[in-house]
Amino acid sequence: MQTPGEFVREQVTTVRETVDRVAGSVAESVADAPSVASVSSQVGDFIREQRSAARVSLRELARAAGVSNPYLSQVERGLRKPSAEILASIARGLKISAESLYEQAGILDRRSGNPDTVAAIRSDEALSERHKAVLLELYETYVREHRAAAQTSSQPAAETRISKESA
Amino acid sequence: MQTPGEFVREQVTTVRETVDRVAGSVAESVADAPSVASVSSQVGDFIREQRSAARVSLRELARAAGVSNPYLSQVERGLRKPSAEILASIARGLKISAESLYEQAGILDRRSGNPDTVAAIRSDEALSERHKAVLLELYETYVREHRAAAQTSSQPAAETRISKESA
DNA sequence: CACCTCCGCTTGCAAGAGCTAGCACCCCGG
DNA sequence: CCGGGGTGCTAGCTCTTGCAAGCGGAGGTG
């Protein structure tokens, strides 16, 4: 069905649309239940949400992450708690940061607050001014998109196919 | 007056090229499905170094970390690879950040560039995980370009590699 | 209908994590 | 001399991880 390459392709398309301001409601709903308690053992749910959002099958992700599909299935349903390496592999396969997975697993402490991303980019000496501008513009577009997606998913949501309220 | 949007629009070509390169490397790494870092012995050495530096006995650290002393011994000598939880416990017992231990374990990637910016993007709750990944890739590519441009004598950013930038 | 492929899940098994108990060695105080 | 307590390491065990094989079901071809 969908190869990892196709997945990346999709992301690229998303970026292009974003940059061009086509604003075609790309809307990946990423449910990240911020201040919900009892997050600790919900890694499996989080993984499944991310995987569904990327529209990747269990077997695809398993192959991309280098784990067996039955095991990934069990991890997603919370029957197994994967080791650090496996967790990192899955994060890699999902193309999300390993930190966020670890935070979901309750292994790393959630970094608090909003260290101002904009300020960080602006004051970054390792970037040229042009690149700063591009990054900031892209960042703001993403933020808008994310906010829009969050609102859509809280509404009855005709377009969104991933339901976050399955807790 | 040039709005930021127009300015970015001018840079669209640049972004596209960059994204294409990033996508290529991402696809490579995903299709690769690498065997996730040969972990063990470095972490053990690192732990033992930290423990000796803190003048803490093996049993003491084991008690502080909530693991058995023989097991900690085996971990330090690389005979066992501890789970993420145990690793975090040990980090807590050593009073060092879990991230640094994880980086030593090769479980978390050390990113290039300004750690503040990276941390800001990663911990930004207004971004989806996938957008974080895209922004980080783009950011690192820019950093590499900038660095290459600074060093006019070296080769100009010929290859885009994903993470694992050797410091 | 049979036949194929992919989906996710269940089942048994090898390998390894992590524990308790016990080893040998060292330095002090009787 | 003999405890007693400190260091780290070894042996054996239990339980989990993670995999290969196989299950029934959904969807597409002929």
Side-chain angles (χ1 to χ4, degrees):
Chain A
M1 168 88 82
Q2 192 188 37
T3 69
E6 285 169 354
F7 166 69
V8 171
R9 221 70 225 166
E10 215 170 88
Q11 293 302 310
V12 172
T13 307
T14 302
V15 172
R16 286 182 169 172
E17 289 175 355
T18 307
V19 172
D20 287 343
R21 301 241 176 74
V22 175
S25 160
V26 197
E28 308 167 47
S29 80
V30 175
D32 40 10
S35 58
V36 180
S38 74
V39 180
S40 46
S41 67
Q42 303 276 9
V43 209
D45 293 338
F46 182 73
I47 292 175
R48 181 155 290 192
E49 283 172 13
Q50 293 294 317
R51 182 172 64 80
S52 308
R55 279 160 298 179
V56 178
S57 80
L58 190 147
R59 281 182 151 90
E60 279 294 327
L61 174 58
R63 206 172 312 132
V67 302
S68 71
N69 49 90
Y71 186 63
L72 180 57
S73 166
Q74 290 169 318
V75 166
E76 286 189 350
R77 285 176 299 146
L79 303 182
R80 296 272 199 273
K81 56 177 190 176
S83 72
E85 296 172 16
I86 300 286
L87 223 45
S89 293
I90 293 175
R92 232 171 267 221
L94 279 172
K95 292 315 297 171
I96 65 177
S97 72
E99 273 93 346
S100 54
L101 255 191
Y102 284 7
E103 285 170 2
Q104 285 289 326
I107 293 167
L108 281 186
D109 300 331
R110 174 170 283 274
R111 299 199 190 201
S112 56
N114 282 331
D116 199 355
T117 306
V118 174
I121 293 176
R122 283 225 177 93
S123 62
D124 197 320
E125 297 173 357
L127 291 173
S128 72
E129 290 306 316
R130 284 175 40 216
H131 287 168
K132 284 182 190 176
V134 175
L135 276 176
L136 286 172
E137 193 66 27
L138 198 56
Y139 168 73
E140 288 182 14
T141 311
Y142 279 170
V143 169
R144 277 194 295 272
E145 201 173 295
H146 186 70
R147 224 166 8 214
Q151 282 182 359
T152 351
S153 70
S154 65
Q155 284 173 354
E159 195 80 17
T160 329
R161 70 179 62 79
I162 313 299
S163 64
K164 84 197 283 189
E165 60 271 0
S166 59
Chain B
M1 277 294 214
Q2 191 183 38
T3 71
E6 287 167 351
F7 179 64
V8 166
R9 192 174 285 275
E10 281 179 13
Q11 304 296 326
V12 160
T13 312
T14 305
V15 173
R16 283 184 169 172
E17 288 171 0
T18 311
V19 167
D20 275 340
R21 270 182 297 163
V22 168
S25 63
V26 167
E28 208 173 282
S29 88
V30 170
D32 224 354
S35 54
V36 187
S38 54
V39 184
S40 42
S41 58
Q42 310 172 351
V43 204
D45 293 340
F46 182 73
I47 292 176
R48 180 153 288 192
E49 282 173 16
Q50 293 295 316
R51 182 172 63 80
S52 313
R55 314 241 168 209
V56 179
S57 78
L58 190 146
R59 280 183 153 87
E60 236 176 308
L61 174 57
R63 205 179 317 125
V67 300
S68 70
N69 49 89
Y71 184 63
L72 180 56
S73 166
Q74 288 170 319
V75 166
E76 285 189 351
R77 284 175 299 145
L79 301 183
R80 295 275 195 272
K81 26 184 176 179
S83 72
E85 297 170 4
I86 299 285
L87 224 44
S89 294
I90 293 175
R92 223 172 295 131
L94 279 172
K95 298 191 177 72
I96 63 177
S97 80
E99 274 90 350
S100 56
L101 250 192
Y102 281 33
E103 283 169 4
Q104 282 291 327
I107 292 168
L108 288 184
D109 297 332
R110 175 170 288 284
R111 297 265 169 168
S112 58
N114 190 336
D116 291 338
T117 304
V118 174
I121 293 176
R122 280 206 172 135
S123 61
D124 197 321
E125 296 179 356
L127 291 174
S128 77
E129 286 304 321
R130 240 160 293 278
H131 286 168
K132 284 183 195 175
V134 175
L135 274 178
L136 283 172
E137 292 294 340
L138 203 54
Y139 169 72
E140 287 195 38
T141 307
Y142 283 170
V143 169
R144 271 190 287 271
E145 282 183 11
H146 187 73
R147 201 184 300 152
Q151 302 174 5
T152 47
S153 59
S154 72
Q155 74 248 17
E159 191 156 352
T160 309
R161 199 170 307 142
I162 182 169
S163 64
K164 295 245 167 77
E165 177 84 5
S166 56

